[in-house]
Amino acid sequence: MIYFDNNATTPLDERVLEAMLPFMKTMYGNPSSVHRLGRVAKSAVEIAREQIAALVDAQPLQVIFTSGGTEANNLALNSAFGRVAISAIEHPSVFEPAKRYNPEIIPVNRDGLIEPKTISDLIEKRPDFVSIMLANNETGVIQPIADIAAQLNERGIILHTDAVQAIGKIPVSFRQLGVQMLSLSGHKISAPKGSGALIVDKSVSISPLLLGGGQEQNHRSGTENVAVCVGFGKAAELAKNELDARQTRMLSLRTMLENKLAQFSKVTIFAQSALRLPNTVLFGIDGVDGELVLLKLDQRGVCVSSGSACASGEAEPSHVLLAMGIAPQQAQTAIRVSLSHQNTPAEVLELIELITPYGV
Ligand SMILES: Cc1ncc(COP(=O)(O)O)c(C=O)c1O
């Protein structure tokens, strides 16, 4: 099998599993318990908090563990207030909880980027809370979040960024970005599914989704999922230590794939001229349904994603591509290849061979 769907999820790293196992077997204490087993669990959770903070250049106390990126985004949006604005290309886990505020939608250009002029227009509308993702899951396009934050901070506007797709692929610094909240998910960096965190600056007041025993500084009640926190921490440590090597590897594979795709006259690579994640290529073959290519590749043991979301059994064109001004028909051609550092040049060549009959 060839796995090219790493923006959807990643396999669990063996070293992460090893770190987790003791906390599923013998070290089963509740971190809130005062006895020895409790203290061992508590200290493991705190080490994980430090590892996650280190990955994103934040303080450990700024890390709130959640059950994933979806919960982190929901927690951020639950803490929104007043006039809310979100970008047109957000993940549903931002879009849906934002709906209750009837948010202003921030447009993107044909490259999937928010332009400086758009931010000045937005500021004139005096929003109180803004959510703009750092890197898009479909196109890989990276937004200039630090520049946007600088402008919003000057006016006291809160900025949340969904960095779920960015960590482990590009350097992410909570401090340098200057945002007030940042969402993370563990399973995109080879941690287990159901791990995540919201990084929060102490200037913002958090409205918890879960009330109860007051864990996570009262921001997220419930007994900590110790093994999962430990796994996320270990994966964060590995992602930080190996970032340079992983980035170089992914970028060389992406370049190889894009150079090969460029030889096909019917292929379009979406947002190609924008700054993008080193692992993501979203492309379409003129007149060929992306879903069809996905299914054909699947029959040959190759996992990719199509650019469309399956809503009520019917494939809808991606809202991200539509927001970029791509016609629905062309949006339906989208195929997403999201690489990992574990992919090989031979796998990329096999993919090219399999799509050659469509692309000539
Ligand atoms: C950009 C983005 N945000 C949030 C999420 C949700 O994260 P999780 O699957 O951990 O709930 C995803 C997952 O696909 C994502 O790509």
Side-chain angles (χ1 to χ4, degrees):
M1 202 194 63
I2 298 178
Y3 190 70
F4 283 141
D5 200 13
N6 291 279
N7 286 7
T9 195
T10 56
L12 193 67
D13 190 302
E14 197 62 40
R15 295 165 291 180
V16 169
L17 179 62
E18 284 304 314
M20 291 171 67
L21 282 175
F23 295 93
M24 301 169 106
K25 291 179 172 171
T26 50
M27 297 197 242
Y28 48 77
N30 182 329
S32 298
S33 296
V34 178
H35 52 66
R36 198 188 135 75
L37 268 183
R39 292 199 307 274
V40 168
K42 168 92 178 151
S43 120
V45 170
E46 294 316 312
I47 290 170
R49 198 185 303 284
E50 284 166 20
Q51 290 165 322
I52 291 157
L55 174 65
V56 295
D57 188 19
Q59 298 300 318
L61 269 177
Q62 295 173 320
V63 178
I64 305 173
F65 281 110
T66 66
S67 65
T70 297
E71 187 189 328
N73 283 340
N74 272 264
L75 183 56
L77 268 294
N78 202 49
S79 309
F81 57 93
R83 278 187 288 267
V84 172
I86 66 170
S87 88
I89 56 166
E90 294 302 311
H91 188 266
S93 56
V94 166
F95 248 105
E96 292 301 322
K99 273 184 182 165
R100 82 180 103 132
Y101 303 101
N102 193 17
E104 174 81 24
I105 304 295
I106 308 163
V108 295
N109 66 16
R110 200 154 174 101
D111 279 333
L113 269 175
I114 297 174
E115 292 182 356
K117 168 87 172 72
T118 308
I119 295 299
S120 10
D121 291 349
L122 173 71
I123 286 169
E124 280 180 18
K125 293 177 184 155
R126 304 172 73 87
D128 299 291
F129 184 101
V130 175
S131 183
I132 299 174
M133 70 200 325
L134 181 50
N136 184 264
N137 43 307
E138 295 183 29
T139 58
V141 170
I142 300 167
Q143 300 297 333
I145 293 294
D147 295 345
I148 296 172
Q151 292 181 65
L152 299 186
N153 282 344
E154 243 174 61
R155 288 145 184 105
I157 304 164
I158 304 279
L159 178 59
H160 161 249
T161 193
D162 175 348
V164 164
Q165 291 293 346
I167 53 164
K169 297 170 188 155
I170 55 169
V172 175
S173 164
F174 181 66
R175 203 171 40 86
Q176 286 177 14
L177 284 174
V179 296
Q180 282 69 48
M181 289 190 242
L182 180 138
S183 297
L184 304 176
S185 170
H187 74 101
K188 314 288 184 180
I189 59 164
S190 299
K193 291 163 188 61
S195 58
L198 184 67
I199 313 295
V200 185
D201 183 274
K202 67 173 184 314
S203 66
V204 292
S205 136
I206 290 291
S207 301
L209 294 166
L210 302 179
L211 304 174
Q215 289 89 344
E216 297 298 289
Q217 306 168 69
N218 263 325
H219 293 141
R220 207 268 185 181
S221 286
T223 302
E224 297 86 343
N225 193 344
V226 179
V228 162
C229 294
V230 167
F232 187 14
K234 182 68 186 176
E237 181 189 71
L238 296 170
K240 180 173 157 64
N241 293 344
E242 297 172 6
L243 180 63
D244 287 350
R246 291 184 189 184
Q247 251 186 315
T248 308
R249 171 79 176 186
M250 291 187 289
L251 194 57
S252 84
L253 293 172
R254 191 190 83 174
T255 307
M256 178 182 173
L257 174 58
E258 293 192 345
N259 286 345
K260 297 276 177 197
L261 288 174
Q263 291 166 7
F264 298 133
S265 61
K266 289 202 298 180
V267 167
T268 304
I269 298 175
F270 298 107
Q272 193 175 13
S273 48
L275 183 66
R276 285 171 300 144
L277 293 173
N279 81 318
T280 308
V281 182
L282 186 70
F283 69 96
I285 305 168
D286 287 352
V288 183
D289 195 62
E291 201 76 13
L292 177 85
V293 179
L294 180 157
L295 295 174
K296 292 281 180 203
L297 288 173
D298 183 42
Q299 285 169 5
R300 308 296 294 268
V302 179
C303 306
V304 298
S305 170
S306 75
S308 48
C310 207
S312 57
E314 239 174 87
E316 295 285 337
S318 137
H319 74 285
V320 174
L321 288 174
L322 296 183
M324 287 161 57
I326 308 290
Q329 240 180 351
Q330 196 182 11
Q332 293 280 22
T333 67
I335 301 155
R336 181 185 71 186
V337 174
S338 47
L339 304 155
S340 88
H341 55 283
Q342 286 167 325
N343 289 126
T344 63
E347 290 176 333
V348 171
L349 289 179
E350 187 161 341
L351 172 70
I352 291 294
E353 209 172 290
L354 290 173
I355 62 166
T356 299
Y358 303 100
V360 287

